[in-house]
Amino acid sequence: DQQVKQNSPSLSVQEGRISILNCDYTNSMFDYFLWYKKYPAEGPTFLISISSIKDKNEDGRFTVFLNKSAKHLSLHIVPSQPGDSAVYFCAANQLSGYALNFGKGTSLLVTP
Amino acid sequence: DVKVTQSSRYLVKRTGEKVFLECVQDMDHENMFWYRQDPGLGLRLIYFSYDVKMKEKGDIPEGYSVSREKKERFSLILESASTNQTSMYLCASSLIGLAENNEQFFGPGTRLTVL
């Protein structure tokens, strides 16, 4: 059963605007949430993470928001750039565990 | 920088062949993972290993086996390749599960086509 869900397979945003990628999870035991970015024919690369004790983490143009009561997190990219066009995977884990639980990904297209 | 390398970027094999996918990491990570990525299905965990000679099944282990004889190397084996194993295979590594966020570092992937 999918514990991490990304319900939007794709998103298209104009350059300079905000991109908001959403992720829902079902396991209240998750301790950390991570976002990965993946270009075609490359491996995913780590983008940003957030601990379950925080509700916001910011790194440059990227901000992740966590709403524990709703079991929801979102990644905001401001301003969006054409180079941000990629597939974004949401992932979650428990500190006591080994493996990450990944969502199915959202393909972001930033148009000029 | 952590480096995870995979032996081949592209591989074409025939149905029934035995296929070996190799992965090497250079950061002395305890954990290593094999995923496959398919359109609309995201990353699915095949097997992982938390120590030399230790292995655990992931979500979709059927048709695969793994080998970890040395800490830095984790091999994925397709005993008898089938067309439904055509996919992008991704290897990853991470520190033992006390790292701040258990970030996994991925290799570039191997695009396997089984004819």
Side-chain angles (χ1 to χ4, degrees):
Chain A
D1 195 28
Q2 192 98 19
Q3 297 186 71
V4 177
K5 299 178 184 178
Q6 293 176 258
N7 293 319
S8 298
S10 62
L11 177 67
S12 183
V13 171
Q14 273 192 316
E15 181 178 7
R17 308 291 282 262
I18 184 171
S19 295
I20 300 176
L21 294 92
N22 294 304
C23 178
D24 297 294
Y25 61 96
T26 57
N27 188 343
S28 58
M29 301 299 291
F30 285 143
D31 296 300
Y32 269 98
F33 303 89
L34 304 87
W35 284 93
Y36 280 81
K37 177 179 178 179
K38 186 182 184 299
Y39 293 118
E42 293 183 15
T45 54
F46 170 74
L47 191 57
I48 192 169
S49 66
I50 187 167
S51 161
S52 61
I53 62 173
K54 296 183 179 179
D55 55 19
K56 178 182 174 181
N57 188 26
E58 194 171 352
D59 183 3
R61 295 186 298 114
F62 303 92
T63 304
V64 57
F65 296 92
L66 175 62
N67 182 335
K68 281 190 68 178
S69 60
K71 294 192 179 69
H72 177 83
L73 65 153
S74 60
L75 174 68
H76 291 212
I77 307 173
V78 185
S80 302
Q81 300 173 353
D84 295 329
S85 297
V87 177
Y88 290 78
F89 291 99
C90 174
N93 82 319
Q94 296 174 244
L95 274 181
S96 58
Y98 296 99
L100 289 172
N101 293 273
F102 282 90
K104 294 185 178 181
T106 296
S107 178
L108 173 66
L109 176 65
V110 180
T111 56
Chain B
D1 273 356
V2 175
K3 194 160 185 184
V4 180
T5 56
Q6 295 182 230
S7 51
S8 306
R9 292 299 302 271
Y10 299 93
L11 210 53
V12 179
K13 295 293 182 180
R14 295 205 176 274
T15 301
E17 278 192 79
K18 191 168 186 176
V19 182
F20 292 86
L21 302 182
E22 305 285 343
C23 175
V24 177
Q25 51 95 3
D26 66 359
M27 282 301 290
D28 204 34
H29 284 172
E30 289 84 3
N31 303 325
M32 295 188 76
F33 308 84
W34 275 106
Y35 295 88
R36 60 179 283 178
Q37 184 202 358
D38 301 287
L41 298 177
L43 274 69
R44 294 182 292 167
L45 182 65
I46 304 171
Y47 267 98
F48 69 96
S49 168
Y50 53 89
D51 201 353
V52 175
K53 296 194 187 295
M54 306 303 289
K55 60 185 179 184
E56 292 285 341
K57 292 180 180 179
D59 300 318
I60 50 164
E62 297 79 18
Y64 303 94
S65 63
V66 290
S67 171
R68 189 145 180 224
E69 296 297 319
K70 292 185 178 181
K71 191 174 185 180
E72 67 271 18
R73 187 179 297 269
F74 192 35
S75 303
L76 180 70
I77 303 154
L78 287 67
E79 297 290 342
S80 177
S82 63
T83 54
N84 63 12
Q85 292 178 311
T86 291
S87 186
M88 167 72 91
Y89 289 88
L90 293 159
C91 175
S93 72
S94 72
L95 287 168
I96 201 162
L98 294 177
E100 184 181 81
N101 60 12
N102 273 359
E103 177 188 345
Q104 291 183 12
F105 297 85
F106 284 84
T110 296
R111 168 69 66 185
L112 173 67
T113 302
V114 183
L115 301 175

